[in-house]
Amino acid sequence: MIGQRRGLAPRGNVAPVFDEVLAAAQGRAGWAFTQLYESLAPAVAGYIRAQGVSEAEDVTSEVFLAVLAGIQSFAGTEVQFRSWVFTIAHRRVVDARRTAARRPEFDSLDGSATAQQDARECTGTAEDEALRSLGTARVEDLLAALAPDQRDVVTLRILADVSLEEVAGVLGKRPGAVKALQRRAMAALRRRLSREGSERRHG
């Protein structure tokens, strides 16, 4: 468990580099794993919630328990670490979908939070920003109409702010295929939003 061994926290206001934090976390330094968790948990939770998974906080906790269990065997860069964490998150989402298919949930979704609050701030297209600005329930409604692979790409790329190369690694696809899926997904969302806007104007 975190904190079983005592680790030295970073001195002063100088943030340690990733390699130092990783090494400390692998040595069971509680402050180091906390720093890794706090840097990625909001994006992971946003990705899981945007996928329509119920009890997203519990699933997020499961992801980081798996990270804790496997962190000593991890070797790689910060980008590779992010990819590894989101690969675990993606597997948990797939598991949750299978569980939901066997035991459907009928509880209403909480739309009080926003997907934007759960994702890291980043720059993007006007369409990306518009999607982030929608409430969680609305985003889930829009994403539900997409094919599963398109939904995976959109939630990872836009809501969780994962790079193209990272998404390719998480989903086991080529970057070009990920880009094509994102392009088709955004086109589908644009058509739906345009259609709904037209219906409201003429309704």
Side-chain angles (χ1 to χ4, degrees):
M1 294 179 64
I2 298 175
Q4 282 185 334
R5 297 184 188 176
R6 297 181 62 185
L8 295 177
R11 291 175 294 180
N13 295 321
V14 179
V17 297
F18 172 76
D19 289 347
E20 294 173 353
V21 176
L22 176 63
Q26 290 173 329
R28 299 307 194 201
W31 68 265
F33 191 80
T34 297
Q35 185 164 325
L36 293 174
Y37 173 84
E38 290 178 347
S39 69
L40 288 173
V44 170
Y47 164 65
I48 293 170
R49 186 173 290 110
Q51 289 281 9
V53 175
S54 62
E55 300 179 349
E57 296 302 322
D58 290 342
V59 177
T60 301
S61 296
E62 292 175 8
V63 169
F64 283 94
L65 285 173
V67 171
L68 177 61
I71 197 168
Q72 287 185 309
S73 62
F74 175 82
T77 65
E78 185 171 3
V79 170
Q80 291 170 329
F81 183 78
R82 278 175 52 86
S83 295
W84 178 58
V85 172
F86 274 100
T87 297
I88 294 172
H90 178 65
R91 290 171 181 165
R92 290 296 186 274
V93 166
V94 171
D95 290 343
R97 286 174 181 167
R98 290 171 179 164
T99 300
R102 292 193 297 268
R103 295 180 299 174
E105 294 284 346
F106 297 101
D107 295 336
S108 60
L109 296 170
D110 179 9
S112 60
T114 64
Q116 183 182 23
Q117 292 171 327
D118 293 317
R120 295 189 301 118
E121 291 185 359
C122 66
T123 58
T125 67
E127 290 172 344
D128 296 351
E129 296 299 333
L131 186 59
R132 291 192 193 95
S133 70
L134 297 174
T136 300
R138 176 60 172 146
V139 169
E140 290 169 354
D141 177 60
L142 290 170
L143 295 179
L146 297 176
D149 53 356
Q150 292 179 356
R151 184 166 62 246
D152 289 338
V153 168
V154 170
T155 51
L156 284 168
R157 285 284 290 132
I158 297 175
L159 301 180
D161 189 25
V162 179
S163 73
L164 181 70
E165 291 74 17
E166 290 176 277
V167 174
V170 169
L171 301 181
K173 299 180 182 295
R174 294 179 181 275
V178 171
K179 188 180 296 185
L181 284 168
Q182 181 178 342
R183 185 167 55 248
R184 289 196 293 269
M186 297 309 295
L189 292 173
R190 184 167 57 249
R191 287 193 299 271
R192 177 171 174 179
L193 290 171
S194 177
R195 183 173 63 252
E196 291 179 354
S198 178
E199 290 172 352
R200 283 195 297 271
R201 287 193 299 271
H202 298 92

